[in-house]
Amino acid sequence: FLRTAPPDSLQGMAFWQFIVTYEIPRAVCIYAVEPYGEGLYLAMKEQAHLAGQSSRLIGVKLRYMPVNFVPSEAIAAVNQAKSFE
């Protein structure tokens, strides 16, 4: 198995720069509770923290469901993300 995507630290910086460049007032990340999902969110959260803008990025956890996907859990995460508008 090879991972072909850049490391989370670089992707997190790129996403954060996108948020800053386009003056997005608040971004909500829905992420799976597993290393790949959490890694990217945490990298973005670190960038927000370093910029003194931690409140500009919000994370919504979603249980990792590789086999038995539960639509109602995903819908609940989306609804939670929408509540931050």
Side-chain angles (χ1 to χ4, degrees), residues 8-78:
D8 291 333
S9 58
L10 291 178
Q11 289 186 66
M13 280 193 275
F15 276 119
W16 179 250
Q17 284 305 308
F18 180 89
I19 290 166
V20 170
T21 299
Y22 291 99
E23 300 177 358
I24 297 168
R26 181 175 295 150
V28 180
C29 298
I30 299 174
Y31 63 93
V33 181
E34 51 84 35
Y36 286 114
E38 290 175 321
L40 181 55
Y41 169 67
L42 293 174
M44 292 173 64
K45 184 177 173 182
E46 176 67 15
Q47 292 299 309
H49 175 74
L50 291 172
Q53 299 179 39
S54 295
S55 63
R56 199 168 173 183
L57 182 66
I58 299 169
V60 175
K61 296 178 183 181
L62 178 61
R63 182 174 62 91
Y64 181 57
M65 299 180 267
V67 178
N68 297 316
F69 182 77
V70 181
S72 61
E73 289 185 39
I75 291 168
V78 170

